[in-house]
Amino acid sequence: MAFDSRFSSRQSGAPMTEMNMIPLIDVMLVLLVIFIVTAPLIGQAVKIDLPKADSSAGIQVPAKMAVSISADGTRHIDGKPVSREESRALFVAAAQKKPMPEVHIYADRHTDYQSVAQTLSDAGQSGLTRIGFVTQPEK
């Protein structure tokens, strides 16, 4: 009985160097069929007559409250120097406004964290929820 040289016992331990393309072709054909079936559905849209409305009239832009904290810990609200007690009173008054203003905190790079934390705490306890830090982008 004659055997092919590929099935000899010498080469049975060698790895197969040819890539099996049959599974890849099967996957490609399945994807091709899926795309052919779904392509006509993509272009179809239902035409309806939507109502017209102007929603820009009801939008109220909230006011901004600029709180500056210098390196020595002094606070300025909208450019006016205030003490901590005065800033608390201004925060409580601002929290009652509709819409609630945004608080922008401008803190000096060398400001103690305690001054910033006290200002954040005072604003949060007064009921203000829109608080943000303002920084300069690096060049």
Side-chain angles (χ1 to χ4, degrees), residues 87-97 122 125-128:
S87 67
R88 284 181 191 164
L90 290 171
F91 289 151
V92 170
Q96 304 302 321
K97 294 180 182 177
D122 293 343
Q125 288 176 353
S126 67
L128 293 170

Side-chain angles (χ1 to χ4, degrees), residues 3-18:
F3 288 104
D4 191 11
S5 65
R6 289 185 294 178
F7 296 117
S8 66
S9 62
R10 280 185 300 169
Q11 295 178 350
S12 64
M16 184 176 152
T17 59
E18 297 173 3

Side-chain angles (χ1 to χ4, degrees), residues 71-82:
D72 60 355
T74 57
R75 293 174 180 86
H76 293 78
I77 295 182
D78 294 330
K80 299 174 188 170
V82 293

